[in-house]
Amino acid sequence: NMCRGRRGSALSARKLMAAEEAANAEPVPTDAGPVEEKPKDEKPKEIKKVSKPDDALLKQRLQEQDDKLVDKQARLEQIKATVDTRNQPTENAEFTAARSKFNVVRAESRRLLQEKRSIYDQISSADELKKQQQDLTQRLKT
């Protein structure tokens, strides 16, 4: 088949030969063999001893951090108190009353604007209906 000069048949013959060679080949072992273990008679490396921490220095550093923490907590409480006083409506009763009046008036204004839009929509739809009827009567007359 390969001697005919056809390119396709030559390629398929090569593929067949390669497949046969792969099938006949010996399987390659995937395992590299048994893992070598270290002899147990070897002693582990010596561990360096760490000196004992200085308790006085440690306590001093902890006290410094505790002092900083207490200062920050006091500042936090001060800020919280300031924010709470700003948010309480009792201190600004005038402002709160004015704001509630404004909200009522704004809601009423929006309601009236919506009503106005609704009326204009009704007028425009009535005008369209009137125009359609006029067009219809005009066509019937002719």
Side-chain angles (χ1 to χ4, degrees):
N1 284 343
M2 288 176 50
C3 297
R4 288 187 183 174
R6 285 189 166 168
R7 199 171 220 175
S9 61
L11 287 176
S12 56
R14 285 184 197 151
K15 287 181 184 177
L16 283 173
M17 288 172 50
E20 287 176 2
E21 287 176 6
N24 292 336
E26 294 180 16
V28 178
T30 56
D31 190 21
V35 178
E36 293 183 25
E37 293 184 18
K38 293 183 179 179
K40 293 184 179 183
D41 59 343
E42 286 185 24
K43 294 182 179 177
K45 295 181 181 178
E46 289 187 30
I47 299 174
K48 294 182 181 178
K49 291 188 178 182
V50 179
S51 61
K52 192 172 186 178
D54 185 12
D55 285 338
L57 181 64
L58 183 63
K59 287 181 181 178
Q60 179 189 357
R61 287 184 181 167
L62 283 175
Q63 186 61 40
E64 289 172 3
Q65 293 300 322
D66 286 344
D67 292 342
K68 287 180 184 178
L69 186 65
V70 168
D71 291 343
K72 299 287 183 187
Q73 285 289 348
R75 177 77 177 129
L76 179 64
E77 292 300 322
Q78 183 183 11
I79 291 171
K80 280 183 179 180
T82 305
V83 169
D84 286 344
T85 57
R86 285 184 184 169
N87 290 338
Q88 287 180 353
T90 56
E91 203 173 286
N92 298 325
E94 243 179 75
F95 176 73
T96 306
R99 179 179 286 263
S100 65
K101 280 184 184 178
F102 171 72
N103 287 337
V104 168
V105 170
R106 183 173 58 182
E108 179 67 16
S109 171
R110 287 182 178 170
R111 188 188 64 79
L112 290 174
L113 282 173
Q114 185 64 33
E115 190 176 322
K116 178 182 169 184
R117 282 190 208 112
S118 174
I119 291 171
Y120 277 119
D121 288 345
Q122 289 175 359
I123 291 172
S124 66
S125 64
D127 283 345
E128 283 182 37
L129 185 61
K130 181 180 173 185
K131 187 174 187 285
Q132 286 176 356
Q133 287 177 349
Q134 285 175 347
D135 288 345
L136 185 63
T137 55
Q138 191 72 17
R139 274 190 262 145
L140 288 177
K141 285 183 181 177
T142 56

